[in-house]
Amino acid sequence: MKLIIPTVVLTLASSFAGATPTPLANSPVVPAPLNGEYPNLPDPLTPLLSNNTYDYVVVGAGTAGMTLAYRLAQDPNVKVAVLEAGIDYTSNLVNQALVEIPGADTIGCGASETDFLNNMIDWGYVTAPQTGAGNRQVRYARGKCLGGSSARVGAFNMMGASTYPSPFFPPPLPLLPSSHLCNFMLYQRPTKGSMQKWVDLTGDPQWNFDARFQDFKKSVKFTPPKSNLRQDSPSAQYSAASFDPASTGPLQVSFPNFAQPFSKFVQLGLNEVGIATTQDFNGGSVNGVQYCPLTVNPQGGGRSTSRSFFAAGQQLPNLKVFNEALAKRIIIDAPSNGGKPIAKGVRFTQFSLQTLDVYATKEVIVSAGAFGSPQLLMVSGIGPKDQLERFNIKTIVEAPGVGQNMLDHVFAAPSYPVNVDTPTRLVNDPVYLAAQTANFTINQLGPLTSNTADLLAFERWSDSDLSRIGAGILTTYPKDWPTVEYFSAAGYIGDFSNLAAENMRVGADGTQFGSILLALVSPRSKGTVTLASADTKDLPIIDPRWLTDPVDQKVAIEGFKRTRKVFASRAMQPVLTGPEFYPGSKVQSDADILKWYQNNLLTVWHAACTVRMGKKEDGAVLDSNLRVYGVDSLRVVDASSFPDLPPGHPQSVIYMLAERAADLIKAAHT
Ligand SMILES: Cc1cc2nc3c(=O)[nH]c(=O)nc-3n(C[C@H](O)[C@H](O)[C@H](O)COP(=O)(O)OP(=O)(O)OC[C@H]3O[C@@H](n4cnc5c(N)ncnc54)[C@H](O)[C@@H]3O)c2cc1C
Ligand SMILES: *[C@@H]1O[C@H](CO)[C@@H](O)[C@H](O)[C@H]1NC(C)=O
Ligand SMILES: *[C@@H]1O[C@H](CO)[C@@H](O)[C@H](O)[C@H]1NC(C)=O
């Protein structure tokens, strides 16, 4: 019963939208079950039955790995294998449909372990107890599927287990909470100053924003907003110069055909407290407020992920993607005469059954993400000596930086009752939800086309304000580097434990909510990724240490007060129907605000820098061309390779990094 209802609904819904095949850039026409980007494929794709040799072996078909592998395989003379621990989410129609509805992205991403409803396509990480976050152990969503965290989506399982009082809620209500939470699809680039920081840390001018602008643009096919359908005023802006009209993508970047009615008021409120509207977030500066472009496909309105590179390369005979293939270690030849070790291939298990080796004649590229990449290096003998010795792993290269220096962003939000429709209504009004599911599926209209947090603002505080609050160190950051980010978030956030369940609880009487999320985008706190065992089948230990640095604490307190100022603005009064609902007026002193923020924060899922590029003498693990110091034929390309975490949302940086890595690798082998 539980499974049948939504399956039927989705099957019906998808049959409306899937009638015409849509041509895909760089690939033949493929049938389009839902929106044109996602052909249905058998899973597993290509079982590997014996040990094989390729030119390149890429570990991880995630955001970076799939992009890089496709670019390498565009050269018909090389053979590329990709090992992905997870499944292909299109292997199942329900999963596929759930991935693609942007409006369901807030579900299944909560901080609580009970909101872990995605075990088929999520790693299931839970952090070590966080002293900077009320001693909580916080679930950390990470995609385990083709597309990686760019496709972090819902699998259909455990419906109602902790979310719903009854599994027999009217359809398609049960479908949402059990499924989603996804990547929020925000596509925005870092600032010129923050990329200059990469240049300073690596000593390589090739990493500056202007030098890499072409790589930022290369992956992306941009489609301007349809203002008439969005009915937004002021309407979304963008800068055409930030995109390449000749690009074929395959990653789609556009705007949903819906602007959250709440966001208009937030924009005006932010303007009133001094944050001006800016034209775009993709040309090297971000300070200001604007609707953010999303990685959604304007044809069909569904999500676009790095799986689009898989779809584009699907017909290439020289690109093989192996699902359910968990890398166990990198095979490294370490000459006994003390010569330089060289990566030869990867040992992995497929379907948790057979152990196989796959060999790379040119290079092994690790793209297993900010947690998976340091883990794989360490179990392969590359890492801090104490970590390796603790688990009896033979040291091949002592690299103290592996798993260190983790940077991340966190956020939390006060919520107010409002008089416009928000997702609070979607989870409380089944008839409305059913109508809007149809509206999305058939017309690509309505709130389910939206990612919910559609309007962003970045703000750099003045040097005098930073010094006044005790965050003077942040005055040394490049001047275009914002201190904080605000998200207009239609709906109730609470303590992030389970957005769907909490919106059902607080909105049961018909009240709607709006929130402004405050994120720290110049964090000082640094965390670690360490081993729990010498086997990649055991998850590594993640200790982000959020909000442990006093500077971050000061910024959180000040930023929270500023979100209250925005809510107090004249411009926001018409949408508010009452005083602050959560945390409410009892939270006033700095100490109370800090405690509240720490007890309620969640990661923005931007973990990075755990295998960072930089100078060897500074403890970096990778040289400025992403090669592991001390080992030949081995690179790491993903969020872990960032020298520093730029402000804002990292997916644009990861696509850029993968494009550049592909060019570097090709150049090294011609
Ligand atoms: C819920 C959520 C919302 C987000 N929202 C946004 C947003 O709105 N905008 C934005 O810019 N960014 C967003 N992000 C962040 C962004 O998605 C990530 O920073 C990015 O996807 C990381 O890319 P990656 O290539 O480093 O790793 P991933 O994309 O995570 O890829 C790593 C891949 O390696 C695989 N893997 C790991 N270990 C092994 C192994 N041992 N063997 C084989 N395979 C392995 C994994 O299964 C995975 O497929 C969000 C992230 C999450 C989780
Ligand atoms: C693959 O190679 C490994 C290591 O050389 C070997 O133990 C295993 O038997 C091989 N498997 C197959 C199927 O050839
Ligand atoms: C679909 O959504 C649009 C807003 O994007 C709205 O104007 C329209 O009334 C909705 N249609 C239905 C049937 O709810």
Side-chain angles (χ1 to χ4, degrees):
M1 179 68 180
K2 286 194 225 171
L3 283 161
I4 288 165
I5 295 170
T7 308
V8 169
V9 170
L10 282 165
T11 308
L12 287 175
S14 56
S15 66
F16 281 104
T20 35
T22 314
L24 227 154
N26 296 332
S27 87
V29 171
V30 290
L34 194 60
N35 77 7
E37 191 168 288
Y38 303 99
N40 242 334
L41 289 165
D43 185 31
L45 297 173
T46 328
L48 182 79
L49 296 172
S50 61
N51 296 328
N52 273 315
T53 299
Y54 294 82
D55 294 275
Y56 301 106
V57 176
V58 179
V59 178
T63 316
M66 200 57 241
T67 306
L68 170 68
Y70 168 68
R71 291 298 185 207
L72 292 174
Q74 281 185 303
D75 173 356
N77 299 314
V78 301
K79 283 173 40 177
V80 182
V82 186
L83 303 177
E84 168 53 49
I87 59 170
D88 182 1
Y89 57 81
T90 67
S91 61
N92 156 327
L93 183 64
V94 176
N95 272 359
Q96 178 183 358
L98 292 174
V99 178
E100 296 190 0
I101 304 175
D105 61 356
T106 52
I107 299 163
C109 61
S112 152
E113 288 183 60
T114 63
D115 200 21
F116 172 52
L117 296 165
N118 273 298
N119 49 15
M120 276 174 72
I121 47 79
D122 190 275
W123 283 89
Y125 293 115
V126 177
T127 68
Q130 293 302 295
T131 55
N135 283 317
R136 287 177 298 151
Q137 289 191 263
V138 178
R139 188 165 77 75
Y140 204 123
R142 282 287 100 178
K144 185 181 182 183
C145 57
L146 253 183
S149 297
S150 72
R152 170 57 178 71
V153 297
F156 202 84
N157 55 32
M158 287 174 62
M159 180 182 60
S162 63
T163 317
Y164 276 114
S166 157
F168 297 107
F169 263 89
L173 191 59
L175 165 162
L176 291 168
S178 59
S179 55
H180 272 55
L181 154 53
C182 307
N183 189 289
F184 282 81
M185 298 157 275
L186 297 157
Y187 183 89
Q188 161 265 323
R189 297 183 189 143
T191 64
K192 294 192 176 187
S194 57
M195 291 308 292
Q196 181 58 37
K197 195 98 179 277
W198 283 35
V199 174
D200 300 342
L201 290 167
T202 60
D204 184 348
Q206 281 304 315
W207 287 113
N208 90 43
F209 187 90
D210 292 330
R212 300 275 58 82
F213 200 30
Q214 199 48 46
D215 286 337
F216 277 112
K217 294 194 273 194
K218 189 173 178 186
S219 318
V220 173
K221 173 83 185 142
F222 176 75
T223 307
K226 301 183 188 79
S227 302
N228 56 327
L229 299 177
R230 290 171 54 82
Q231 303 170 351
D232 52 347
S233 165
S235 56
Q237 296 177 47
Y238 63 95
S239 168
S242 295
F243 300 95
D244 178 358
S247 168
T248 51
L251 187 72
Q252 299 289 335
V253 171
S254 64
F255 292 79
N257 294 334
F258 182 86
Q260 293 290 343
F262 175 65
S263 294
K264 175 175 86 180
F265 296 94
V266 176
Q267 174 161 196
L268 297 174
L270 288 162
N271 291 159
E272 195 175 315
V273 304
I275 304 174
T277 293
T278 186
Q279 190 184 359
D280 98 318
F281 292 140
N282 284 298
S285 62
V286 298
N287 284 308
V289 54
Q290 189 50 258
Y291 290 96
C292 191
L294 305 182
T295 42
V296 295
N297 191 335
Q299 281 180 314
R303 174 184 309 268
S304 186
T305 73
S306 74
R307 195 185 181 287
S308 61
F309 288 87
F310 171 78
Q314 212 188 335
Q315 306 297 327
L316 298 177
N318 58 330
L319 174 62
K320 291 274 179 264
V321 181
F322 301 101
N323 288 337
E324 296 180 66
L326 177 73
K328 302 292 264 191
R329 67 176 177 81
I330 306 158
I331 301 164
I332 301 172
D333 263 9
S336 49
N337 64 8
K340 199 174 180 190
I342 174 163
K344 288 287 190 186
V346 179
R347 175 155 297 176
F348 68 102
T349 54
Q350 204 179 14
F351 319 119
S352 313
L353 291 172
Q354 49 184 356
T355 299
L356 290 160
D357 291 344
V358 61
Y359 298 102
T361 55
K362 293 196 169 76
E363 292 198 24
V364 172
I365 300 123
V366 176
S367 297
F371 306 144
S373 290
Q375 179 190 34
L376 187 61
L377 290 189
M378 286 189 276
V379 301
S380 308
I382 303 166
K385 211 180 174 88
D386 64 324
Q387 274 288 299
L388 306 187
E389 281 174 355
R390 186 143 166 239
F391 297 101
N392 295 317
I393 300 162
K394 183 169 174 281
T395 302
I396 290 175
V397 175
E398 196 183 333
V402 176
Q404 304 298 303
N405 291 290
M406 173 182 157
L407 282 168
D408 198 7
H409 298 144
V410 292
F411 55 3
S415 299
Y416 288 66
V418 297
N419 58 17
V420 288
D421 278 344
T422 70
T424 317
R425 180 168 175 207
L426 282 172
V427 296
N428 279 294
D429 181 344
V431 175
Y432 176 67
L433 176 61
Q436 292 311 326
T437 303
N439 204 9
F440 166 69
T441 311
I442 300 162
N443 310 317
Q444 288 87 58
L445 289 178
L448 287 176
T449 64
S450 163
N451 70 331
T452 305
D454 58 355
L455 181 99
L456 303 181
F458 295 90
E459 185 181 34
R460 167 66 175 240
W461 294 344
S462 70
D463 286 1
S464 59
D465 280 344
L466 288 169
S467 302
R468 174 179 56 78
I469 66 166
I473 183 76
L474 298 181
T475 63
T476 64
Y477 280 45
K479 292 300 170 212
D480 64 8
W481 189 310
T483 314
V484 292
E485 176 184 358
Y486 307 92
F487 302 56
S488 165
Y492 174 75
I493 306 292
D495 66 357
F496 267 118
S497 55
N498 189 324
L499 292 176
E502 284 294 281
N503 275 280
M504 290 189 77
R505 182 177 66 80
V506 300
D509 63 358
T511 312
Q512 306 247 22
F513 291 91
S515 309
I516 299 178
L517 283 156
L518 173 82
L520 273 53
V521 291
S522 52
R524 305 287 305 164
S525 306
K526 287 185 172 174
T528 60
V529 177
T530 51
L531 292 178
S533 85
D535 192 334
T536 56
K537 80 172 170 24
D538 301 315
L539 298 179
I541 297 163
I542 304 192
D543 185 7
R545 298 183 195 157
W546 302 304
L547 266 292
T548 50
D549 189 295
V551 169
D552 293 350
Q553 299 176 357
K554 304 277 199 264
V555 172
I557 295 165
E558 191 68 14
F560 177 80
K561 290 181 188 166
R562 224 159 139 63
T563 60
R564 278 184 167 168
K565 285 215 179 81
V566 181
F567 275 112
S569 68
R570 272 195 322 281
M572 285 205 65
Q573 299 320 301
V575 77
L576 304 180
T577 59
E580 185 178 286
F581 176 80
Y582 188 75
S585 55
K586 63 191 181 302
V587 173
Q588 285 302 339
S589 69
D590 284 5
D592 284 350
I593 289 172
L594 177 61
K595 192 166 165 220
W596 178 83
Y597 193 91
Q598 293 186 315
N599 285 334
N600 289 274
L601 68 78
L602 179 61
T603 174
V604 201
W605 309 281
H606 293 173
C609 309
T610 48
V611 186
R612 73 191 202 284
M613 255 194 297
K615 297 174 188 153
K616 192 154 190 256
E617 60 269 28
D618 297 337
V621 185
L622 308 176
D623 73 11
S624 72
N625 285 351
L626 300 148
R627 293 175 294 216
V628 176
Y629 284 119
V631 187
D632 269 340
S633 306
L634 182 62
R635 294 189 212 234
V636 179
V637 181
D638 57 25
S640 73
S641 7
F642 288 14
D644 197 351
L645 176 60
H649 301 267
Q651 64 167 329
S652 65
V653 187
I654 293 166
Y655 288 112
M656 175 278 286
L657 194 72
E659 297 284 7
R660 166 129 175 98
D663 288 342
L664 288 169
I665 292 167
K666 285 181 199 165
H669 297 279
T670 45

